[in-house]
Amino acid sequence: TVIVTLFSIAGHELAHGYAAYLCGDDTAKIYGRLTLNPLKHIDWIGAICLAVFHFGWAKPVPVNFHNLKNKKRDIVIVSLAGPFINFMIAFIATFILYLSVKYNFATWTLYTVLINVLKLNLGLSVFNLIPLPPLDGSKVVGVFLKGRTAYKYFSFEKYGTLVLLLIFMIPFLGNMFSNILSGCVNGVYSVYIKIIQLSFKGLKLFFGVK
C-alpha cells in the first residue's frame, strides 16, 4: 500500500508538470519535478490521508501560468492531467483484475495489489477534482470566473487544506465526506467494468466468436 501510494502521487504530479512543460512552461523541469521519484512530490499529511482514507494530495508541482501558450485552455489541461493519469492507472488495474478473475489466474497477492492500485488512484482522482482551492478542480472552475469573484474564490486557498483536515477530524462530517467520495469511486469503477465488458462483447462480435 505504501509503495502504491507513493508512486500514485508521483505519477499524478509528474503528469501536471509534464503537461505544463508541453504547454510552454518549464518551471517543473527547472525544479527537478519531472520525475517519478516519490520523494520529490510527497506531502506526508496528504500521503497518510490517501493511504488511510483513499483520498489525499501531494506537494503541488510549481507552474508559472504566465508561460503557458494558451492560458485558459492550458490551465485546464495542466489541472486535469494529474487526475487523468490516475484514472488511467485505475482503469488498467481494473482491466487486469477483470482478466484475472475471468480467466482464473488471480492470486491473493495480485488481487490485493490491484485493489489497492484501483482504490488509491480512483480516490486520488475524484478527491482532487473537488472544486475546493487548492485542489485541481478549483483551477478548472477558476478559469470561468472573473474579477473580484475569482479573487475571493482563490483567496480561500490558504484555508482549503485546513478545512479538509477539520472534515477528517470531525466524525460525522468525515463519514459523510468519505461516503460521498466512496460512492463516486464505486460509480467510476462500475463504469470501467461496463466499458471492459462491452469491449469484450464488441471484439467477440467483430471476430465472430461466441
Side-chain angles (χ1 to χ4, degrees):
T1 300
V2 171
I3 292 171
V4 170
T5 300
L6 291 176
F7 282 98
S8 296
I9 289 173
H12 180 98
E13 293 304 323
L14 172 60
H16 282 312
Y18 192 65
Y21 179 73
L22 292 178
C23 292
D25 177 49
D26 62 354
T27 307
K29 183 178 180 181
I30 292 171
Y31 281 87
R33 298 292 298 277
L34 297 187
T35 176
L36 269 176
N37 179 359
L39 297 178
K40 293 284 188 178
H41 304 293
I42 199 74
D43 179 303
W44 292 107
I45 296 176
I48 291 169
C49 289
L50 183 61
V52 175
F53 303 107
H54 300 304
F55 47 88
W57 59 91
K59 185 166 60 176
V61 164
V63 177
N64 186 341
F65 293 120
H66 295 292
N67 291 337
L68 300 176
K69 298 171 185 175
N70 184 321
K71 191 174 180 181
K72 286 191 174 183
R73 181 202 66 189
D74 293 346
I75 287 174
V76 173
I77 292 172
V78 172
S79 299
L80 294 181
F84 175 77
I85 287 297
N86 293 119
F87 275 127
M88 293 305 299
I89 294 171
F91 181 81
I92 293 168
T94 305
F95 183 70
I96 298 172
L97 184 64
Y98 179 85
L99 290 180
S100 69
V101 173
K102 183 178 179 66
Y103 296 105
N104 199 30
F105 64 84
T107 64
W108 178 249
T109 302
L110 178 63
Y111 179 83
T112 303
V113 170
L114 290 173
I115 287 295
N116 279 333
V117 172
L118 173 63
K119 286 183 177 180
L120 286 166
N121 279 278
L122 281 183
L124 188 62
S125 301
V126 172
F127 178 74
N128 274 282
L129 287 176
I130 296 172
L132 174 69
L135 300 177
D136 297 329
S138 68
K139 296 178 179 63
V140 176
V141 172
V143 166
F144 301 98
L145 302 179
K146 295 181 180 179
R148 191 165 181 80
T149 303
Y151 174 78
K152 286 184 177 180
Y153 182 67
F154 285 114
S155 66
F156 187 74
E157 183 169 337
K158 54 188 174 183
Y159 306 111
T161 303
L162 179 60
V163 169
L164 291 170
L165 289 175
L166 287 174
I167 289 173
F168 295 151
M169 293 169 64
I170 300 172
F172 170 72
L173 291 177
N175 290 335
M176 183 174 66
F177 195 65
S178 296
N179 289 336
I180 292 171
L181 285 175
S182 294
C184 294
V185 167
N186 291 335
V188 174
Y189 173 72
S190 298
V191 171
Y192 281 175
I193 292 294
K194 288 293 183 184
I195 291 172
I196 293 168
Q197 289 174 338
L198 289 172
S199 298
F200 269 90
K201 287 181 181 179
L203 287 172
K204 286 181 179 180
L205 288 172
F206 182 79
F207 289 106
V209 178
K210 293 184 179 180

